[in-house]
Amino acid sequence: MGNGLSEQPKFSSMSFFQSSHITIFGLDSAGKTTVLCRLQFNDFVNMVRTNGFNFNSVSVN
Ligand SMILES: Nc1nc2c(ncn2[C@@H]2O[C@H](COP(=O)(O)OP(=O)(O)OP(=O)(O)O)[C@@H](O)[C@H]2O)c(=O)[nH]1
Ligand SMILES: [Mg+2]
């Protein structure tokens, strides 16, 4: 799931959104945190299992 983002997604078609909240649900080790870090840091980071939940803000151009 996380590695499926080979490049930064194009959000230009979403430019009418001032801000939006996105919730990612999935099975254990599905790659949810990997996707989140990919969007935030534009990099792949080796993750440990998440206890509870992550909450991140991501700015897009
Ligand atoms: N092969 C492959 N591995 C992936 C992909 N995305 C994530 N991983 C790996 O899967 C493992 C789990 O990724 P996480 O992002 O921690 O998964 P998660 O859904 O946040 O897991 P929990 O926090 O336990 O619910 C990591 O070792 C990642 O490197 C993918 O697209 N392909
Ligand atoms: Mg996680």
Side-chain angles (χ1 to χ4, degrees):
M1 179 174 167
N3 291 338
L5 291 175
S6 58
E7 60 183 48
Q8 279 283 45
K10 304 282 187 276
F11 287 100
S12 56
S13 60
M14 296 176 62
S15 59
F16 54 91
F17 288 113
Q18 293 292 323
S19 73
S20 59
H21 295 96
I22 299 173
T23 305
I24 303 174
F25 294 100
L27 298 174
D28 288 354
S29 298
K32 304 178 294 295
T33 305
T34 302
V35 165
L36 195 59
C37 289
R38 175 80 168 94
L39 291 173
Q40 189 171 28
F41 303 117
N42 196 22
D43 200 3
F44 292 107
V45 182
N46 226 350
M47 291 296 148
V48 295
R49 182 176 180 162
T50 304
N51 286 317
F53 60 89
N54 292 316
F55 180 89
N56 287 2
S57 294
V58 178
S59 297
V60 295
N61 298 322

